[in-house]
Amino acid sequence: MEKSVYSLCFMCSVRCPIKVTVKDGQVTFIEGNPKVAGIEGSLCPRGSAGISLLYDSQRVQAPMIRVGARGAGQWRKASWNEAFDYIAEKLSGIIKKYGGHSVVLGERTQLATHVSKTFLKAIGSPNHFTHDALCKGSVNTACRSLFGYTDAQIGIDYKNTRHIVLYGRNLFEAIAVKEVNSLIEAMNAGAKMTYIDPRVSITATKANRYWMIRPGTDLALNYALIHVILKERLYDAGYVEKWVLGLNELQDFVQPYTPEWAEKETGIPAGEIVAFAREISRDKPAVIFHYGYRGASHTNEIYMRRSILILNALMGSVEAKGGIFFKKGPGEVGKKPARKLTEQTFPEIKVPRFDKVGTKDFPLPDPDHGVPQILPHAILNEDPYPIKALFVYRFEPLGSIPDTTLTQKALDTLDLIVTIDVNHSDIAWYSDVVLPESTYLERTDCLQQANGQKPQMFLRRQAVPPRYDTREGAMILKEIGERIGIGKFFPYKDMEDLVRWQLEGTGFSLEDFDQSGFVAYTDKQILWDRTEGLKIKTPSKKIEFTSSLLENAGFASFPPYEPMPALKDSEFRLVTGRNALHTHVSTQNNPYLNELLSENTLWIHSKRAAALGIKDGGRVTVASKQGSGAIKVFVTELIHPEAAFMLHGFGHESGLASRSFNKGVSDALLQENISDTIGGSPALHETIVTVKPV
């Protein structure tokens, strides 16, 4: 018998809507949901490899308890009850001795994140963090400094744009299917794309204009663009006068940052900067300066991201067709969103977070995501207090937090490490207990609230029963919670029960999702009136070029530009990025995807390679102050001479994931753990490496 199940992919964090074909209890085909506009059957390579994940014999198949030294790969299989009892006993002792705040839970933001947060709130811990902050914490802070909204509350109208500018946002490789389809449609209708990156990516090859910028100088380029736009009055004067606070201060600030000055810093000719400013202004307001997804490159990251958002505001493209917009929730049409377990009343928590977000150390990063890269320092220094237990949920601290050696050193001091995952990840290999989660094809999940110009809800539905002895993450946390005395905060018996509880008050039922996998609150597109109706959430109710958020915390709205330091002859600035075949650190062992791309390579410029005696295809040692590794080299002219590029996510150490074991080099092994201390992101591209032939 054959059936179709409408669901959500989870081969990456985008969660594209999918249609799963099941025949005789087996998944035979996965495609994009043809009933969702912009998806219309499309799926990326990772989404197509979901079947390979489902039937992979190397994923975690049953609970495991460590019996040897951490990282030695010595395990014994356990029943769920034994694993839950083991964790509960250890965790109860830790909480009794050190308090609930000695427990940290980190995860990749997912549909059951409200369950994870509930678990911590119930034991009295403020210490929840997400991978989001490692990726885009400073983008989040930059958005709040200008609009009062987070980046997650802002959307992009790719379909109707006339010109889009991408700063290393490698859209055609770090694929979000609907975004890519919409942008291609716009470009087929005549829209232009400008791409700025030290490396020629696939996206660069699609651009009308490509600038090979000197690494780390994007802010200099933007200051010069703003200079030209203000000097020549190319901005939307009526819009800016109505909605912007601080134009005069910005105008005074950018006076010295001329295109000629920027040319010396960025390598981009002054005449091209001026011509571009004039060209894009003719398409306003239907233009997009993309504020980025991964905004975690340099210590000035928040100001680089603010400069991009300022350019959007100058073009009048905020809340404009073909520009960027504020996402609309069900409240816009008088309806309610899905409920979350975090809406319950919890015991008061009086201690600061482990990363000190919300204190004088980190006053501005978003506490909903935290500053994860502080975790090793907090553990080792016991500052602000001892951390004794770590729960890791579909997240890889060893491959995502810079300086793997430092992270391992910190993990060695913990009394308990529990990992909930589908894969034999490196952190699972380093844990005390590993709890296997069912794949996204084997579980019903919590609701996805999809706000936008038409607010909707999507549902991930179980397509097939679990192949192995696995469970849903929300049920795993409930079982542990019941054993440590916080069961009352998890008022559901199974996942369908939880989803029905979430739907109470929304006007929708579980059965409403059967026909298409989603429900819509309205069939009308919602855009606010740009003349009178913008609902800016800053204290001034304006787009704050001079930011109250920054200045009230003691930070400047427009800090002077600090030039990127020159490099020595043997040095490169390490740059990392994505590829269409892999998601962060989670897919390298997938049978299909591993066959297509099993290890990363190091890109360096041909002239630099010749000077160092390095030949294309050979092996080199790439080294920083933090670590080193041997890797194949790709010698090319398609990269800036100051940059060395590698794909993120390789160099895995888990012996139970044999396809990806010891293939390539992990960028986290090389990276220095330093941060944009204002915005909150790590500064991943501040690391300097040397490259030598093996």
Side-chain angles (χ1 to χ4, degrees), residues 530-546:
R530 296 171 69 250
T531 305
E532 299 293 339
L534 296 194
K535 301 175 184 179
I536 308 297
K537 287 187 176 181
T538 59
S540 65
K541 307 301 181 187
K542 291 180 179 289
I543 300 171
E544 293 191 352
F545 288 3
T546 50

Side-chain angles (χ1 to χ4, degrees), residues 637-652:
E637 294 185 358
L638 302 179
I639 190 169
H640 194 281
E642 293 185 19
F645 171 85
M646 64 166 57
L647 288 173
H648 169 66
F650 290 82
H652 286 272

Side-chain angles (χ1 to χ4, degrees), residues 76-300:
R76 64 178 176 85
K77 183 178 177 181
S79 68
W80 279 101
N81 282 335
E82 183 185 6
F84 288 146
D85 290 343
Y86 179 92
I87 294 168
E89 181 180 355
K90 290 275 190 180
L91 189 59
S92 295
I94 290 169
I95 293 172
K96 183 177 180 180
K97 185 174 181 179
Y98 298 100
H101 55 273
S102 67
V103 182
V104 176
L105 190 153
E107 65 182 329
R108 182 175 299 281
T109 302
Q110 36 97 20
L111 299 177
T113 289
H114 68 110
V115 182
S116 307
K117 290 184 175 182
T118 296
F119 184 86
L120 286 183
K121 287 175 180 291
I123 64 172
S125 175
N127 293 324
H128 178 272
F129 71 85
T130 77
H131 174 89
D132 285 38
L134 289 168
C135 193
K136 56 193 183 79
S138 295
V139 182
N140 176 315
T141 309
C143 289
R144 287 185 289 115
S145 76
L146 283 151
F147 309 121
Y149 292 89
T150 71
D151 62 299
Q153 295 169 319
I154 299 173
I156 298 175
D157 185 5
Y158 295 96
K159 184 177 179 179
N160 295 300
T161 195
R162 301 304 305 153
H163 198 142
I164 185 169
V165 185
L166 301 168
Y167 297 79
R169 176 62 173 128
N170 190 7
L171 204 66
F172 290 101
E173 292 190 83
I175 298 173
V177 172
K178 187 173 182 177
E179 293 179 1
V180 171
N181 284 347
S182 297
L183 181 55
I184 289 173
E185 183 176 345
M187 293 176 72
N188 287 340
K192 294 181 179 180
M193 180 169 70
T194 294
Y195 187 73
I196 304 159
D197 195 324
R199 181 181 72 103
V200 179
S201 66
I202 296 297
T203 306
T205 68
K206 309 297 182 187
N208 302 89
R209 174 189 286 103
Y210 167 65
W211 281 334
M212 184 181 282
I213 194 168
R214 181 172 170 243
T217 64
D218 303 62
L219 181 59
L221 170 63
N222 285 354
Y223 279 171
L225 286 171
I226 293 169
H227 174 102
V228 175
I229 289 166
L230 293 180
K231 180 181 178 181
E232 299 191 7
R233 295 187 64 81
L234 301 174
Y235 59 94
D236 187 329
Y239 181 92
V240 169
E241 182 179 357
K242 173 70 176 177
W243 294 113
V244 165
L245 179 69
L247 180 67
N248 292 337
E249 291 87 344
L250 177 63
Q251 196 152 16
D252 292 341
F253 171 76
V254 297
Q255 279 193 7
Y257 298 116
T258 64
E260 291 73 21
W261 164 84
E263 179 177 346
K264 295 175 183 177
E265 180 70 4
T266 67
I268 299 172
E272 291 187 23
I273 294 173
V274 174
F276 168 68
R278 292 170 179 168
E279 177 187 319
I280 197 167
S281 69
R282 290 193 287 269
D283 285 323
K284 66 178 183 294
V287 300
I288 299 162
F289 286 85
H290 198 304
Y291 44 86
Y293 191 82
R294 195 200 72 182
S297 300
H298 298 285
T299 53
N300 67 356

Side-chain angles (χ1 to χ4, degrees), residues 27-49:
V27 174
T28 59
F29 191 60
I30 306 174
E31 61 186 305
N33 188 336
K35 299 185 179 182
V36 175
I39 297 289
E40 294 150 353
S42 302
L43 206 58
C44 79
R46 293 162 294 177
S48 299

Side-chain angles (χ1 to χ4, degrees), residues 197-198 215 294 573-577 643-647 684-685 687:
D197 195 324
R294 195 200 72 182
R573 192 169 297 281
L574 183 65
V575 177
T576 66
F645 171 85
M646 64 166 57
L647 288 173
L684 301 177
H685 292 178
T687 298

